[in-house]
Amino acid sequence: MANTIVKKRSLIPGKTSELVIDAPHIASHAKPGNFIILRVSEKGERVPLTIADVDKAAGTITIVYLVLGKTTAMLEELQEGDSILDLCGPLGKPTDIGERGAVICVGGGTGIAAMHHIAKGHHEAGNKVIAIIGARTKDLLLFEDELKTFADEVLVCTDDGSYGRKGLVTDLLVDLLKQDAGVREVVAVGPVPMMAAVSEATRPFGVKTTVSLNAIMVDGIGMCGACRVTVGGQMKFACVDGPEFDGHKVDFTELGARLKAFRPLEAGSLDGYHECQCRSGEGKKAPKKKKALAPRVPMPHQAPEERVKNFKEVALGYTMQLAMEEARRCLQCKKPGCVAGCPVEVPIPQFIEFLAAGHVEHAYKAIKTANSLPAICGRVCPQEIQCEGACILAKKGQPVAIGRLERFVADEYLHRDACDLLRDDAEMACALIDHNKKVACIGSGPSSLTVAGYLASRGCKVTVFEALHEPGGVLVYGIPEFRLPKTKIVQKEIHALKQLEVDFELNSVGGKTFTIQDLFDQGYKSVFLGVGAGLPRFLAIPGENAVGVFSANEYLTRVNLGRAYDFPDYDTPIICGKRVTVYGGGNVAMDAARTALRLGAETVHIVYRRTVDSMPARREEIEHAIEEGVIMECLAQPLKFLVDENDRLRGVSLQKMELGQPDESGRRSPQPIPGEIYELETDLAVIAVGTRANPVLLENEPRLKTNKWGYIEVNEDTCETSIPNVFAGGDIVTGAATVILAAGAGRKAAKEIARRLGIEQ
C-alpha cells in the first residue's frame, strides 16, 4: 500500500528516526538531492524532508527526521504498517553529479542522512567520496555505518571529543583541503550555521561548495515563494531553483533570520498553548451611491463589523423571491450584449427568463449548456467587465445582477444528482464510462475541472493529477473562504465529478512524479495541462526578503489551504501582523487585505501607484474592502522595506506619485513627485503584483513550445500544444487571468478531445 511505513528505526530515541516508506511512484523518479513534502494529519502542516535513500526495485524511499515541532512529533508516533496521509515528490532539482575526481561530503545532524544519498550518487558516478560527519556528542551521530559501505573515507568529529576527533567538521575539512588531495567539490548538508561555516572555510581554497537548503516551504512546487533565498544577489526559490546552491553566494544571515520566523508559533503549537486571536476592526462606510433609475436587488451580506471576525462567506445569496425580482429586471434584448461579453457564452437571457418564472431546473440546465462551474463562476468572475458590463441597463443605471443570479441558480440546484450537475445537454443522459477513452488532466483548477466535467459526462474515463493534497487548484489555495466556500461549493462540484468516476490523484507532480510520456504509456489518449501560472512576482526592492514580507501566494495558501486562520487547531502557522500593507490593486490584493483584517490586523493599507478607479480588482471586492476598513494608500510606490536589527520588517519607504499627461492611448501614467518620500509603519507586507510561469513541468518537458514569457503556446482554435494530443489552458497559457477564462479554455479543449475520440462531431 502506497505511503505505508515498511520499516522504522530509532536513531536517537525520542528525537530522530528513520522511516522506509512504500512510495513506488516517487522512488521510480527520485534522484540524489530531491526532497519530498509530507503531511501527517488532515489538519497537518506540509513539511519538506530530503530523501536519504531510494530502493527503486523495492519501490521505497528513506527519510530521516528530527522531532522539532508538532508534525514531526506526530510522525514519530507512527509505527510500521501505518500510512502517511500525504507524500508528494520527488521535488527540487537533483544534485549535479558528474566526473569530479574527489568529493568531500560534509553532514551535520539529520543532514548526515540527507547527505548520504548525495554521497552515494557521487560514488556510483565513479568519484572518490570522503565523508565528514559531526555532532555534539557520540550518541547524536547518524549513518556512520551506512556511509562506510561505499565512501572511501569516513571521518568523524564530536564537539566534546566523546568520539572521533574533538572539534568541528570545518576543522577536519580545512586539514583535508590543505593536503591538496585533488578535491574538486565540497557538498554540505545540515544546520544553516554549519553550512555557512563550511562555505567560509572553503572560500580561501577556491573549491566549489554546494549546500542544500530545505527552507520554509508551503507547497514545494514554486507557487508560494516562501522558500526564497538570496544567491549571488538574486532571489531564488529553493524548491524549484534548488534546493542546492553555491554556498559562496548564499546570504546565510538573511536565510537564518527567515528560518526563525515561525519558531515561536511552531513551539506554541507543539505545547498547545498558542492561539491566534482575531480582532474586529471598525469598518469605514463606503460613500452612498446615487440612486439608479432601475436599481438592482441588493445582495444580503454579513455586516462588516461581524464578517471581519470570521471566514464565512460575506455575500449571503439571494432568496428565491429576491432572485425572481432581480431576474424580472432583464429586458430580454433581441441582440443580447451580455452573451457576447461572456467568455463561455452562457445563454443569459434564457436562463434569466426561466428564473423569472420560477423554473430553477430549466435555468440551471440552460447555464450548463455553456458553463461547467456556475456556482464558482457566479462568485468569482469579474461580471462587471464581462456580461454585466455589456448589459444595456448599464448605460442608464445598474445592469442586471447576472453573476448573482447564476450563483443563486447553481446553489439551488446543487442537491441534484451528479450527471445533472455536469451534463450540459438537457435532453441527454450521461453516457456510461468507457475505460478505453482515457484522458488525463494535470492540475485541478477551473480549466481542468471543466475538461473533466465535459468529458466524463460524455463517457470518458478522466483522471485528474494534482500536486497538492486537495483538489481545486486556485479555487482552494488562492480564493479565501469568505469569498468562495470550500465545503459548500468547491467540494460539492468535485464530489459531482467523482460520482462520474473521475479519479483524483493527489500529491502527484507533473514533470516530477510522472512525465507526459508516462501517461501516454499508461494508455491515456489525450492530456490536458491546467497547471496554472503560480510562480509569484516580487517588487525587486531592498528588504523584501525580510522576516514579515510575504508573497500573496504564500500568505493566502497558508490561510486557505493550510487553514492557518484556525491555528493551532490546524498546524500551519501564520504571522498575524498588526499593521499590514498589501502591494497591488487586483483581486488577489483585496483577498490578502481582507484576510489580514480577519487575522486581527489593526490597520491594513493597500499600496497602489495609481488611483482606486484604476485598480483592476472587481468593483464589488474594492467596495467590500473599504467597507471593512481597508485603507487605500493610492498614488504611492514602494522604494524599500525597512528592517530592525533582527532583520524583521518595521516599515516601508514610499514614493508619492502623481498622474502625468495622457499618452497616445489616453492613459495617464504615474510619475514620482520629486522629494515626496515618506515612511509607513508596517510589521507585515504582502506582495500581490502578479505571477509568472511555473517551471516545474515545463523544464521537464522540453517538447512543449513556450513563448518569450515562458507560457505554453497553443493552437487558438483547439488549445493543442506543440505535442500532439496534449492540450493546455488557463493561466499557464494566458498568464494570470480569471476563473471563467480558464473554464472557457478548458471547454474549448474538451470539445476538441471529444471530437478526436469520436464522441462528438
Side-chain angles (χ1 to χ4, degrees):
M1 179 179 173
N3 298 3
T4 300
I5 300 171
V6 297
K7 180 181 178 182
K8 181 174 183 177
R9 179 166 64 117
S10 177
L11 303 178
I12 303 173
K15 293 184 178 180
T16 303
S17 293
E18 173 193 76
L19 300 181
V20 179
I21 306 167
D22 180 48
H25 290 302
I26 297 176
S28 64
H29 291 85
K31 297 179 181 179
N34 286 151
F35 65 93
I36 54 95
I37 280 191
L38 60 79
R39 201 169 63 111
V40 181
S41 70
E42 288 290 348
K43 295 184 177 181
E45 186 179 8
R46 294 169 66 88
V47 174
L49 292 170
T50 300
I51 298 172
D53 206 355
V54 171
D55 187 331
K56 294 185 184 295
T60 62
I61 63 170
T62 299
I63 60 171
V64 174
Y65 59 89
L66 172 66
V67 178
L68 283 175
K70 184 176 179 181
T71 299
T72 46
M74 294 173 69
L75 193 62
E76 180 67 4
E77 294 175 0
L78 298 180
Q79 302 301 321
E80 292 181 4
D82 291 337
S83 292
I84 295 173
L85 179 63
D86 292 308
L87 204 63
C88 181
L91 301 171
K93 291 184 176 180
T95 302
D96 179 18
I97 296 177
E99 293 184 7
R100 297 285 194 274
V103 177
I104 299 177
C105 295
V106 185
T110 54
I112 301 173
M115 176 270 283
H116 167 269
H117 197 202
I118 298 171
K120 186 176 179 181
H122 277 289
H123 167 74
E124 291 173 349
N127 296 322
K128 178 182 178 181
V129 175
I130 303 171
I132 300 177
I133 58 176
R136 293 195 304 273
T137 61
K138 180 181 179 180
D139 58 344
L140 297 179
L141 281 169
L142 308 175
F143 270 59
E144 181 183 3
D145 292 337
E146 287 83 351
L147 286 165
K148 285 181 177 178
T149 61
F150 61 81
D152 297 272
E153 287 185 77
V154 178
L155 305 176
V156 181
C157 61
T158 52
D159 293 359
D160 64 356
S162 57
Y163 185 62
R165 173 171 166 174
K166 182 178 181 179
L168 305 175
V169 291
T170 48
D171 299 331
L172 275 172
L173 175 62
V174 169
D175 286 349
L176 282 175
L177 294 177
K178 286 180 177 178
Q179 295 172 17
D180 192 20
V183 175
R184 300 284 298 278
E185 183 178 359
V186 172
V187 178
V189 188
V192 168
M194 186 216 80
M195 291 189 289
V198 167
S199 299
E200 287 308 307
T202 60
R203 194 184 299 275
F205 296 92
V207 177
K208 178 182 178 182
T209 302
T210 302
V211 295
S212 182
L213 308 179
N214 272 0
I216 308 165
M217 293 185 188
V218 178
D219 59 281
I221 54 174
M223 186 180 71
C224 72
C227 61
R228 63 189 188 275
V229 60
T230 299
V231 181
Q234 296 183 333
M235 182 187 295
K236 300 290 184 180
F237 293 171
C239 64
V240 293
D241 297 319
E244 296 181 359
F245 298 99
D246 183 341
H248 295 152
K249 297 181 179 179
V250 173
D251 186 336
F252 284 104
T253 301
E254 176 189 89
L255 175 62
R258 286 180 53 77
L259 288 174
K260 294 175 184 176
F262 289 99
R263 286 183 185 173
L265 292 174
E266 291 166 341
S269 176
L270 184 59
D271 295 339
Y273 66 82
H274 181 82
E275 182 176 357
C276 264
Q277 299 294 325
C278 292
R279 293 193 192 176
S280 62
E282 292 187 4
K284 291 185 177 180
K285 297 292 183 181
K288 291 184 178 179
K289 301 176 182 178
K290 290 183 180 180
K291 188 175 181 180
L293 295 176
R296 67 169 70 190
V297 175
M299 168 70 87
H301 292 87
Q302 287 192 73
E305 61 271 16
E306 290 298 322
R307 68 192 191 225
V308 294
K309 301 175 186 177
N310 62 64
F311 276 79
K312 296 178 182 178
E313 193 169 15
V314 170
L316 301 177
Y318 282 151
T319 63
M320 185 69 187
Q321 181 180 351
L322 294 176
M324 291 176 66
E325 182 181 342
E326 177 63 23
R328 288 168 185 154
R329 294 180 61 238
C330 178
L331 301 179
Q332 292 295 316
C333 304
K334 292 183 179 180
K335 294 182 179 180
C338 56
V339 177
C342 174
V344 294
E345 298 184 335
V346 169
I348 294 168
Q350 289 93 321
F351 100 73
I352 290 180
E353 185 176 17
F354 283 130
L355 179 57
H359 301 312
V360 173
E361 180 178 352
H362 295 308
Y364 183 82
K365 289 184 176 180
I367 295 172
K368 290 294 290 186
T369 61
N371 186 3
S372 297
L373 305 170
I376 292 170
C377 293
R379 284 169 164 82
V380 302
C381 285
Q383 290 97 2
E384 68 272 14
I385 61 172
Q386 294 177 340
C387 54
E388 293 178 12
C391 176
I392 190 66
L393 290 181
K395 296 179 179 179
K396 296 182 179 180
Q398 293 177 312
V400 175
I402 299 169
R404 295 174 180 178
L405 294 179
E406 182 180 38
R407 164 192 164 148
F408 169 80
V409 170
D411 288 357
E412 279 288 298
Y413 199 76
L414 274 175
H415 67 279
R416 308 300 175 91
D417 74 58
C419 191
D420 282 344
L421 285 175
L422 293 169
R423 186 73 197 188
D424 55 18
D425 189 333
E427 303 302 321
M428 295 180 63
C430 285
L432 294 175
I433 300 300
D434 184 346
H435 288 259
N436 291 317
K437 295 177 178 177
K438 294 173 62 178
V439 177
C441 296
I442 303 179
S444 67
S447 60
S448 287
L449 294 182
T450 300
V451 171
Y454 188 96
L455 294 175
S457 66
R458 287 159 174 77
C460 293
K461 178 58 183 175
V462 182
T463 302
V464 178
F465 296 88
E466 168 57 47
L468 300 175
H469 60 266
E470 283 188 38
V474 69
L475 305 174
V476 171
Y477 71 75
I479 303 176
E481 182 79 10
F482 57 81
R483 204 153 71 83
L484 181 64
K486 307 301 176 275
T487 302
K488 178 182 173 184
I489 302 301
V490 180
Q491 289 181 16
K492 210 138 189 176
E493 298 276 16
I494 290 170
H495 177 70
L497 290 168
K498 290 179 178 178
Q499 285 187 287
L500 282 184
E501 298 185 38
V502 174
D503 291 330
F504 287 84
E505 295 286 342
L506 306 179
N507 302 298
S508 298
V509 186
K512 293 291 185 179
T513 312
F514 62 90
T515 65
I516 291 174
Q517 188 58 49
D518 288 339
L519 297 177
F520 283 123
D521 292 344
Q522 293 167 24
Y524 289 95
K525 307 301 182 184
S526 292
V527 177
F528 178 79
L529 309 179
V531 295
L535 211 65
R537 293 185 183 277
F538 288 87
L539 297 168
I541 62 174
E544 65 182 339
N545 279 356
V547 176
V549 181
F550 290 82
S551 72
N553 274 11
E554 178 188 357
Y555 188 69
L556 292 173
T557 299
R558 283 182 176 276
V559 174
N560 299 331
L561 180 70
R563 275 70 167 181
Y565 61 82
D566 202 10
F567 180 85
D569 189 35
Y570 282 80
D571 297 338
T572 301
I574 189 70
I575 296 174
C576 301
K578 295 302 179 186
R579 295 169 297 279
V580 179
T581 51
V582 179
Y583 302 83
N587 290 326
V588 176
M590 301 303 150
D591 287 343
R594 297 172 68 196
T595 294
L597 284 174
R598 287 158 173 77
L599 291 176
E602 295 172 356
T603 62
V604 178
H605 291 72
I606 286 183
V607 177
Y608 188 61
R609 67 191 191 118
R610 296 181 182 272
T611 62
V612 171
D613 292 340
S614 300
M615 287 181 171
R618 296 180 64 198
R619 293 300 98 188
E620 186 175 62
E621 300 307 318
I622 295 172
E623 291 166 4
H624 285 171
I626 293 173
E627 287 174 355
E628 293 170 8
V630 175
I631 301 166
M632 299 298 173
E633 193 79 21
C634 292
L635 292 172
Q637 180 166 299
L639 297 177
K640 65 178 178 179
F641 290 113
L642 310 173
V643 299
D644 61 18
E645 63 277 5
N646 296 315
D647 203 32
R648 290 183 176 274
L649 183 67
R650 66 170 180 82
V652 60
S653 176
L654 298 174
Q655 167 71 62
K656 202 169 236 185
M657 311 291 284
E658 63 181 354
L659 295 180
Q661 294 299 314
D663 58 20
E664 294 179 358
S665 67
R667 185 174 173 85
R668 299 173 65 191
S669 298
Q671 299 174 349
I673 302 175
E676 294 288 334
I677 297 174
Y678 64 105
E679 292 185 9
L680 184 63
E681 188 178 3
T682 182
D683 58 4
L684 182 71
V686 182
I687 300 171
V689 293
T691 56
R692 50 200 170 101
N694 192 312
V696 172
L697 175 67
L698 305 182
E699 286 184 351
N700 292 282
E701 297 290 352
R703 291 183 297 162
L704 280 174
K705 188 176 180 181
T706 58
N707 61 25
K708 62 181 180 180
W709 297 285
Y711 298 115
I712 298 174
E713 290 190 356
V714 299
N715 181 310
E716 291 186 3
D717 295 326
T718 63
C719 292
E720 189 172 24
T721 70
S722 54
I723 304 177
N725 291 313
V726 176
F727 302 80
D731 291 0
I732 195 60
V733 173
T734 62
T738 61
V739 169
I740 191 64
L741 288 175
R747 182 177 175 81
K748 183 185 292 184
K751 282 185 173 182
E752 179 63 19
I753 293 170
R755 187 189 68 78
R756 295 190 186 188
L757 292 177
I759 297 170
E760 295 181 347
Q761 296 300 317

